[in-house]
């Protein structure tokens, strides 16, 4: 099987925050690929750097955060090297962003329709007629009555707002959609319905998706591949089913065991001992070693590179052969 | 309570408070100022006018206090403010009308200019954090805005009028001209008005710049601004329609509420430049102990500020769809 | 008078200070690290020094009329003499005392009322909150100078006490609004829940848990009130209210203006006291802004890399 060129190639991407106490590395040399039409999930605890990674890829970081190294290849160009005017050309047309809370991500003083129009007109000149048609079409795509084009964000329900945001993200049928916890602000039922809708749209339109969340069970049902982040690094990445069925990194194992299963035998809930490290004072060697139940002497001094294991990449010395 | 109802309640209560202050003050101050004033009026005005003044100031009357109060309110609503001592025998209402024109022109215009310019500069300096505007302006304007209005006026007067002789040293127009609508007269008015207007603009603009900058900085951190960037919108559009439009909302009401301060400063500027507006009139009233005139000026100024506040509130409600809905507008 | 604009800005979360000793330490650290704060503190220090040692610094008796009037600056008279033959420099030095005192006393009193009204409104809630708000807004809107003029005129110029009273009455409302806003946001934070669960009474909670956390804001409000007091006092004294025989920068300006100092050729008589007022005001303004930055890190200066 010959693999098609990936739609997104991230290589050794690092992001630093300038603080009074020095530079903090929120994302450390992350590399990942996303194939055409693929759904990649990124999971991790709060503060592990997953949202920062996402915004770095989308080139939406603001000071004091900035990209400290690496490259992001998209559409044949390195986005890190591109200037803002150059980026503006491809923004939204080739890749778009869906944020966590639509209430915060939508301009409260403009109607949905006006915001859609802004997005379209920023890239193409359209007649009023075709603007209207395009807007209505994309609203229907996500199941919202086009009459809401004249509504303000606060007049819609939470679920509708999120879907409106997704409609906006798809208006140019981009190759890549980056999503930062778009379901976290919704209740469980709305979450599932939204996810099903996203998957359906993905199948129909064919965009690739990078989906960040802290909810492992949610992402397990919907993603093709899964990446696990810890303290700014990816510690495990592979096929979702494989990672779930047989988690390899001790952290991933710990995460899995933190979720009770409704079916299946009643097990004791085991968390992960300790707490996430202070990014200003990282542990030596493997960042997870202070909390790792399988820690070896080597882990304290040597930072593990990625090792291959059954088609997964794992950042753990246990898999060094 | 709906938004509009709340603002109207505020309007009426403050207006009532101002009226009541005017009523109470002469009655509680030591030395019975009302009596003193009436002594000076004696023999110069008709008995009815004396009677009206007595009612207004609570002198020589055995009417119970609440009756005096009602009478006073009735008089005010009728527009009867008494007779001015300073500009005797003109009624207070007429005196005020003259000064009002000049003050509205000078102060009104200068304030609007300062607000518009200040807001734009504030917006720009927040937009380019760390840029020239952002680094230089805040400290400079903090210092300038701490200058007393009148001192800056004196400085400006000293520099541009007395030393350089570029501008006249006072009044609204040449003392030899008479008021007419000719071009030369209008030119004179502008030329005379430039220095006082400049003083007002320079001292007040700092406040607008700083608050707009601060609100803008907070707004720029919002997700919808990030989203606008993600959509590839032009920076100008983001700055104006997404950030600016949201940042200015809290400032509008603040603008109106600060009018009280602006007017206070403008009064002092008028005094420095002998500008024949309400501020100057107030000064003359103070010096000749013309309480009727003073009180009415105070009332008028308060009402003006209140109207501005109400207007700003309604404007905010109109601009912000969230308030619009809860206001039932 | 300085411009003060009101915005309903959302109060920013500040880390909690759990003990009173932490308050002084935080303040001290904050003052040293911020350049504006340092500048303001230095200026205040200089003025305080001058007012304490006025007798030593001023060369002559400020009231003494023995000199020739309207002399230009010379070694004998650093800033020249007034139209009545008094030494301007000596007057300036001695005036520091009253000007500084006015600012601080009026500032403290206004701040005290602000705290009382603002925090009470936040904690009593309901109808009381509504009423106190209305009360605050009314005082906020009423134009200060006209009100002050009217009151002071009725009191026949009054003395320093009337001046202070009038400044305090017109100056407390601005701070009350901000304090209420922050008190409201603090009301629901976890460490207060913990105190309530421990069984502490409301008064205790307000005094020892809430107020220490509002220190930064209270200081900022005091500075703003002091600034307002400096300018308000100057304005009132300039038009002849207060006691014109007092020795204060504002009264100096009154006499200067009355004697037509600008036109008569002794501009220093006007410039010197005015400059002092402006500098004192600027010191308070800088400190005020510095405290704003301290409580809201987003406002701090950004270093641009490019």
């Amino acid at each position: 099987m010959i693999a098609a060129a990936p739609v997104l190639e991230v290589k050794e991407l690092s992001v630093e925050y300038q603080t009074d106490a020095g530079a903090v590395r929120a994302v450390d040399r992350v590399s990942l690929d996303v194939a055409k039409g693929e759904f990649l999930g990124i999971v991790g605890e709060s503060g592990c750097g997953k949202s920062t990674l996402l915004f770095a890829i989308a080139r939406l970081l603001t000071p004091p955060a900035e990209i400290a190294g690496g490259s992001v290849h998209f559409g044949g160009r390195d986005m890190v090297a591109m200037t803002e005017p150059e980026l503006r050309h491809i923004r939204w047309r080739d890749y778009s962003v869906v944020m966590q809370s639509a209430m915060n991500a939508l301009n409260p003083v403009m109607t949905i329709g006006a915001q859609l129009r802004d997005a379209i007109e920023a890239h193409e000149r359209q007649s009023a007629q075709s603007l209207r048609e395009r807007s209505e079409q994309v609203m229907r795509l996500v199941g919202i009555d086009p009459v809401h084009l004249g509504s303000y964000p606060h007049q819609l329900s939470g679920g509708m707002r999120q879907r409106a945001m997704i409609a906006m993200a798809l208006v140019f049928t981009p190759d890549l959609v980056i999503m930062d916890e778009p379901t976290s602000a919704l209740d469980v039922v709305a979450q599932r319905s939204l996810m099903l809708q996203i998957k359906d749209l993905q199948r129909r339109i064919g965009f690739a998706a990078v989906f960040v969340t802290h909810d492992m069970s949610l992402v397990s049902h919907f993603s093709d591949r899964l990446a696990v982040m810890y303290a700014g690094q990816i510690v495990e990445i592979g096929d979702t089913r494989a990672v779930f069925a047989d988690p390899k990194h001790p952290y991933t194992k710990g995460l899995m065991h933190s979720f009770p299963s409704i079916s299946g035998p009643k097990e004791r809930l085991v968390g992960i001992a300790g707490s996430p490290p202070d990014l200003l004072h990282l542990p030596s060697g493997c960042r997870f070693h202070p909390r790792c139940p399988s820690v070896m002497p080597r882990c304290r001094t040597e930072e593990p590179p990625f090792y291959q294991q059954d088609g997964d990449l794992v950042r753990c010395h246990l898999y060094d052969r | 309570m709906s938004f509009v109802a709340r603002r109207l309640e505020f309007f009426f209560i403050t207006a009532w408070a101002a009226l009541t202050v005017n009523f109470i003050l002469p009655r509680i101050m030591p030395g019975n100022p009302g009596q003193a004033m009436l002594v000076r009026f004696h023999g110069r005005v008709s008995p009815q006018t004396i009677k009206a003044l007595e009612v207004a100031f609570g002198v020589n009357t055995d009417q119970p206090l609440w009756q005096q109060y009602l009478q006073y309110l009735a008089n005010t609503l009728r527009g009867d403010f008494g007779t001015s001592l300073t500009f005797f025998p003109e009624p207070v209402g007429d005196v005020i009308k003259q000064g009002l024109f000049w003050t509205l022109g000078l102060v009104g215009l200068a304030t609007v200019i300062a607000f518009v310019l200040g807001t734009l500069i504030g917006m720009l300096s927040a937009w380019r954090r760390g840029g020239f505007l952002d680094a230089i302006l805040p400290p400079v304007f903090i210092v300038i805005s701490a200058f007393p209005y009148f001192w800056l006026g004196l400085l400006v007067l000293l520099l541009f009028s007395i030393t350089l002789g570029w501008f006249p040293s006072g009044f609204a127009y040449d003392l030899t001209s008479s008021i007419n609508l000719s071009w030369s007269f209008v030119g004179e008015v502008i030329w005379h008005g430039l220095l006082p207007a400049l003083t007002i603009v320079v001292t007040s603009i700092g406040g607008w710049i700083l608050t707009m900058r601060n609100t803008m900085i907070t707004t720029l951190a919002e997700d919808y601004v990030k989203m606008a960037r993600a959509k590839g919108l032009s920076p100008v559009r983001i700055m104006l329609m997404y950030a600016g439009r949201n940042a200015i909302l809290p400032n509008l009401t603040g603008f109106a509420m600060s009018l009280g301060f602006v007017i206070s400063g403008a009064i002092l500027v008028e005094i420095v430049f002998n500008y024949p507006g309400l501020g100057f009139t107030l000064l003359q009233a103070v010096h000749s102990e013309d309480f009727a005139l003073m009180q009415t000026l105070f009332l008028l100024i308060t009402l003006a500020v209140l109207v501005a506040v109400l207007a700003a509130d309604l404007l905010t409600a109109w601009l912000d769809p969230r308030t619009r809905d809860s206001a039932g507008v | 008078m300085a411009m003060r604009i009101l915005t309903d800005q959302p109060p920013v979360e500040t880390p909690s200070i759990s003990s009173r000793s932490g308050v002084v330490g935080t303040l001290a650290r904050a003052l040293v690290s911020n350049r504006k704060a340092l500048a303001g503190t230095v200026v205040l220090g200089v003025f305080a020094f001058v007012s304490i040692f006025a007798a030593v610094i001023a060369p002559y008796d400020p009231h003494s009329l023995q000199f020739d009037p309207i002399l230009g600056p010379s070694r004998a008279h650093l800033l020249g003499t007034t139209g009545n033959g008094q030494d301007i420099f000596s007057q300036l030095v001695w005036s520091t005392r009253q000007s500084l005192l006015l600012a601080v006393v009026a500032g403290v009193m206004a701040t005290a009322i602000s705290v009382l009204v603002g925090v009470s409104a936040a904690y009593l809630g309901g109808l009381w909150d509504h009423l106190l708000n209305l009360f605050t807004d009314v005082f906020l809107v009423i134009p200060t100078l006209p009100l002050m003029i009217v009151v002071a005129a009725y009191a026949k110029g009054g003395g320093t006490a009337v001046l202070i009273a009038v400044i305090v009455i017109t100056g407390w409302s601005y701070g009350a609004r901000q304090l209420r806003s922050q008190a409201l946001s603090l009301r629901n934070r976890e460490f207060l829940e913990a105190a309530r669960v421990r069984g502490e009474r409301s008064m205790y909670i307000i005094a020892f848990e809430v107020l220490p956390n509002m220190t930064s804001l209270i200081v900022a409000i005091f500075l703003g009130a002091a600034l307002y007091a400096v300018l308000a006092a100057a304005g009132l004294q300039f038009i002849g209210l207060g006691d014109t025989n007092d020795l204060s920068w504002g009264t100096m300006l009154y006499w200067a203006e009355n004697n037509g100092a600008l036109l008569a050729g002794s501009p220093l008589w006007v410039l010197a006291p005015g400059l002092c007022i402006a500098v004192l005001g600027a010191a308070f303004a800088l400190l005020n802004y510095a405290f704003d930055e301290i409580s809201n890190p987003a406002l701090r200066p950004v270093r641009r890399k490019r």
Side-chain angles (χ1 to χ4, degrees):
Chain A
M1 187 174 63
I2 304 173
V7 103
L8 178 73
E9 261 185 287
V10 178
K11 283 197 177 48
E12 300 280 303
L13 188 63
S14 299
V15 176
E16 282 179 2
Y17 280 90
Q18 299 298 330
T19 67
D20 289 335
V24 175
R25 233 169 213 221
V27 174
D28 187 34
R29 291 164 290 146
V30 163
S31 302
L32 48 85
D33 290 354
V34 183
K36 188 172 180 330
E38 186 177 43
F39 195 117
L40 172 72
I42 304 183
V43 293
E45 290 168 280
S46 309
C48 70
K50 50 194 200 295
S51 293
T52 311
L53 171 65
L54 221 57
F55 287 122
I57 294 176
R59 293 283 269 123
L60 283 176
L61 291 176
T62 44
E66 50 183 21
I67 295 181
S71 68
V72 176
H73 282 274
F74 176 69
R77 303 181 61 180
D78 179 9
M79 284 174 51
V80 175
M82 283 167 77
T83 63
E84 193 58 40
E86 291 173 333
L87 281 166
R88 227 176 288 141
H89 270 306
I90 58 169
R91 283 199 200 276
W92 222 248
R93 262 215 290 237
D94 300 342
Y95 76 97
S96 59
V97 175
V98 173
M99 296 212 221
Q100 183 168 353
S101 163
M103 194 61 236
N104 296 335
L106 293 174
N107 190 344
V109 298
M110 286 172 76
T111 60
I112 307 283
Q115 298 187 48
L116 252 175
R117 191 178 56 230
D118 262 358
I120 298 174
E121 282 186 337
H123 300 279
E124 298 177 358
R125 316 233 49 200
Q126 298 256 314
S127 69
Q129 170 82 340
S130 68
L131 255 176
R132 179 121 199 125
E133 282 172 1
R134 180 87 147 269
S135 305
E136 291 181 357
Q137 183 187 44
V138 86
M139 291 289 268
R140 271 189 226 107
L141 189 66
V142 295
I144 302 181
D145 188 336
V147 73
H148 287 293
L149 281 172
S151 305
Y152 288 96
H154 69 277
Q155 293 171 320
L156 301 176
S157 75
M160 279 174 86
R161 272 200 296 270
Q162 295 295 113
R163 280 183 284 146
M165 225 184 8
I166 293 176
M168 265 190 239
L170 298 176
V171 78
F172 286 117
T173 56
D175 297 324
L176 174 69
V177 178
I178 294 177
M179 302 192 238
D180 183 20
E181 306 205 48
T183 55
S184 303
L186 302 173
D187 64 78
V188 188
V189 177
Q191 269 183 12
R192 188 174 160 77
S193 131
L194 189 68
M195 286 307 301
L196 285 171
Q197 186 145 52
I198 293 178
K199 279 304 275 188
D200 177 52
L201 288 166
Q202 195 196 16
R203 246 178 280 120
R204 279 203 267 165
I205 300 180
F207 56 84
V210 178
F211 189 98
V212 154
T213 180
H214 60 268
D215 187 344
M216 291 211 55
S217 42
L218 189 73
V219 79
S220 64
H221 290 292
F222 298 105
S223 63
D224 299 320
R225 278 167 71 227
L226 190 62
V228 181
M229 267 187 90
Y230 183 77
Q233 290 179 325
I234 298 209
V235 295
E236 185 164 352
I237 178 167
D239 236 39
T240 310
R241 220 143 299 190
V243 172
F244 254 79
D246 181 21
K248 301 187 179 50
H249 195 282
Y251 177 62
T252 319
K253 278 194 228 172
L255 281 181
M256 297 293 175
H257 291 138
S258 307
F259 286 86
S261 90
I262 291 189
S263 53
K266 260 194 264 202
E267 288 177 350
R268 201 185 201 117
L269 255 186
V270 181
I272 307 177
S275 47
D278 174 7
L279 289 177
L280 271 170
H281 305 105
L282 287 165
S284 56
C286 170
R287 291 178 188 193
F288 188 62
H289 86 252
R291 308 167 74 183
C292 184
S294 326
V295 62
M296 306 182 294
R298 185 184 179 195
C299 305
R300 293 194 182 96
T301 51
E302 234 183 282
E303 189 179 76
F306 277 115
Y307 296 109
Q308 276 260 19
Q309 176 81 13
D310 301 338
D312 284 358
L313 283 171
V314 197
R315 203 190 262 278
C316 180
H317 289 306
L318 286 171
Y319 301 93
D320 183 13
R321 277 186 251 108
Chain B
M1 232 197 217
S2 97
F3 181 71
V4 172
R6 248 187 302 131
R7 300 320 288 169
L8 280 174
E9 171 195 48
F10 170 64
F11 179 84
F12 284 115
I13 293 204
T14 312
W16 168 80
L19 280 170
T20 310
V21 163
N22 266 346
F23 179 76
I24 292 183
L25 272 181
R27 289 165 173 77
I28 62 172
M29 281 293 160
N32 202 340
Q35 179 82 47
M37 184 187 71
L38 274 165
V39 164
R40 293 156 69 199
F41 266 121
H42 246 299
R44 297 156 81 185
V45 274
S46 65
Q48 296 102 296
T49 318
I50 295 266
K51 196 79 205 123
L53 285 168
E54 283 181 346
V55 168
F57 290 96
V59 183
N60 283 345
T61 171
D62 39 355
Q63 265 185 329
L65 207 63
W66 64 268
Q67 232 179 326
Q68 293 178 37
Y69 187 51
L70 289 175
Q71 185 78 50
Y72 162 72
L73 287 178
N75 283 350
T76 312
L77 286 171
R78 253 187 298 133
D80 175 8
F81 303 112
T83 307
S84 157
L85 195 59
T86 327
F87 298 96
F88 191 83
E90 281 189 55
V92 166
D94 288 352
V95 174
I96 289 187
K97 263 187 237 149
Q98 290 174 15
L100 188 64
F101 171 69
W102 291 112
T103 298
L104 270 181
L106 175 70
V107 178
L109 217 61
T111 310
V112 169
I113 291 176
F115 178 67
V116 170
L117 263 183
T119 308
L120 279 173
I121 296 179
M123 201 163 48
L124 280 168
S125 87
W127 184 252
R128 309 210 79 233
R129 290 306 305 285
F132 168 74
L133 279 179
D134 188 43
I136 308 286
L137 287 186
V140 165
F141 273 106
I142 296 169
V143 170
I144 291 188
S145 70
F147 287 3
Y149 272 60
F150 63 92
W151 186 68
L152 196 70
L154 288 169
L155 271 184
V156 163
L157 191 62
L158 179 68
L159 185 63
F160 292 109
S161 174
I162 296 176
T163 312
L164 289 176
W166 288 352
F167 291 96
S169 62
F171 220 59
Y173 49 86
D174 235 21
L175 286 166
T176 51
S177 328
S178 53
I179 302 180
N180 56 59
L181 279 173
S182 68
W183 276 120
S184 74
F185 185 71
V186 171
E188 256 178 61
V189 169
I190 294 181
W191 190 46
H192 278 263
L194 224 52
L195 283 187
L198 182 72
T199 310
I200 295 178
V201 170
V202 168
T203 4
S204 58
I205 205 173
W208 308 135
I209 294 181
L210 288 174
T211 16
M212 185 60 176
R213 172 181 172 266
N214 288 359
T215 337
M216 189 76 167
I217 289 177
T218 317
T219 310
L220 284 174
E222 294 277 354
D223 276 348
Y224 52 82
V225 171
K226 206 174 218 163
M227 188 66 137
R229 275 178 65 206
K231 286 185 189 160
L233 302 184
S234 79
V236 172
R237 191 154 179 86
I238 301 180
M239 186 177 82
L240 292 176
M241 279 304 292
Y242 285 76
R245 186 103 178 321
N246 281 284
I248 205 175
L249 288 175
N251 285 342
L252 278 177
T253 310
F255 166 65
M257 284 200 133
S258 312
L259 273 181
F261 291 112
V262 180
I263 292 189
S264 302
I267 287 178
L268 293 170
V269 170
E270 281 188 10
I271 291 173
V272 165
F273 285 93
N274 288 338
Y275 204 78
L278 292 179
F280 194 60
T281 316
L282 185 60
L283 183 70
Q284 293 175 293
V286 170
H287 285 160
S288 48
E289 295 194 346
D290 187 351
F291 297 126
L293 182 57
M294 262 197 305
Q295 277 192 354
T296 317
L297 276 172
F298 166 67
L299 192 64
L300 178 69
I301 295 175
T302 307
L303 281 175
V305 174
L306 279 177
V307 168
V309 171
L310 198 62
D313 283 338
L314 293 176
L315 187 65
T316 312
W318 183 65
L319 283 177
D320 185 352
R322 293 165 290 188
T323 333
R324 217 187 298 167
D325 279 349
S326 65
V329 172
Chain C
M1 234 161 278
M3 285 305 317
R4 296 195 285 137
I5 325 285
L6 304 147
T7 49
D8 276 318
Q9 284 196 298
V12 180
E13 296 245 326
T14 45
S16 63
I17 307 171
S18 54
S19 70
R20 273 170 289 166
S21 58
V23 167
V24 178
T26 319
L27 277 177
R29 242 181 296 127
L31 275 176
V32 172
S33 64
N34 189 309
R35 261 187 303 177
K36 294 186 188 64
L38 204 57
T41 316
V42 165
V43 170
L44 279 183
V46 166
F47 279 127
F49 181 80
V50 168
S51 67
I52 296 175
F53 293 105
V56 175
I57 299 176
Y60 308 105
D61 177 359
H63 293 295
S64 144
L65 295 159
Q66 64 187 92
F67 308 107
D68 295 325
I70 320 222
L71 289 177
S74 64
R75 201 156 333 140
H77 299 279
L78 278 175
L79 293 171
T81 56
T82 69
N84 302 322
Q86 299 152 314
D87 178 38
I88 294 180
F89 183 66
S90 302
Q91 282 204 326
L92 199 70
V93 166
W94 278 97
S95 298
T96 315
R97 230 173 243 190
Q98 197 194 57
S99 300
L100 201 55
L101 219 64
L102 267 172
V104 171
V105 170
V108 166
M109 287 175 67
T111 308
I113 301 183
S114 297
V115 171
L116 199 64
V117 174
V119 177
S120 304
Y123 270 82
L124 294 173
L127 183 65
W128 275 113
D129 185 22
H130 185 67
L131 288 176
L132 283 173
N133 266 352
L134 216 48
F135 186 60
T136 308
D137 279 349
V138 166
F139 272 91
L140 206 46
V141 156
I142 292 189
T144 47
L145 193 65
L147 179 63
M148 291 195 282
I149 289 177
V150 169
V151 173
Y154 275 126
K156 294 241 179 301
T160 325
V162 172
L163 205 59
I164 293 184
V166 144
I167 293 175
V168 169
I169 290 174
T170 50
W172 66 265
S173 48
Y174 181 62
R177 232 178 180 234
Q178 292 183 290
L179 284 164
R180 170 181 172 272
S181 182
Q182 202 191 43
L184 273 180
S185 86
L186 279 177
R187 205 176 159 185
N188 300 320
R189 286 182 61 192
E190 297 91 46
F191 66 95
L192 288 184
E193 281 299 326
R196 253 176 252 141
V197 167
R198 283 205 311 270
E200 309 283 5
R201 282 172 15 253
S202 288
M203 273 314 299
Y204 170 91
I205 295 182
I206 293 179
F208 294 111
E209 300 275 0
V210 176
L211 285 183
N213 276 282
M214 296 174 62
T215 312
S216 199
L217 186 62
I218 294 180
V219 173
I221 286 176
F222 163 70
L223 293 166
L227 170 62
Y228 170 70
V230 168
L231 299 175
L236 282 174
Q237 288 171 326
F238 175 62
I239 41 182
L241 301 166
D243 189 350
T244 49
N245 290 319
D246 272 349
L247 216 47
S248 153
W249 294 328
T251 48
M252 279 180 77
L253 282 171
Y254 168 74
W255 288 112
E257 174 77 352
N258 261 27
N259 285 308
L262 277 183
L263 295 160
S266 57
L268 278 174
W269 195 8
V270 166
L271 290 178
L275 187 64
C276 285
I277 296 173
V279 171
L280 181 62
F284 281 124
L286 279 172
L287 276 168
N288 188 354
Y289 201 71
F291 268 89
D292 267 348
E293 281 185 1
I294 290 170
S295 20
N296 186 354
L299 297 174
R300 291 187 198 155
V302 169
R303 267 155 274 126
R304 246 198 181 189
K305 283 295 192 62
R306 254 147 274 141

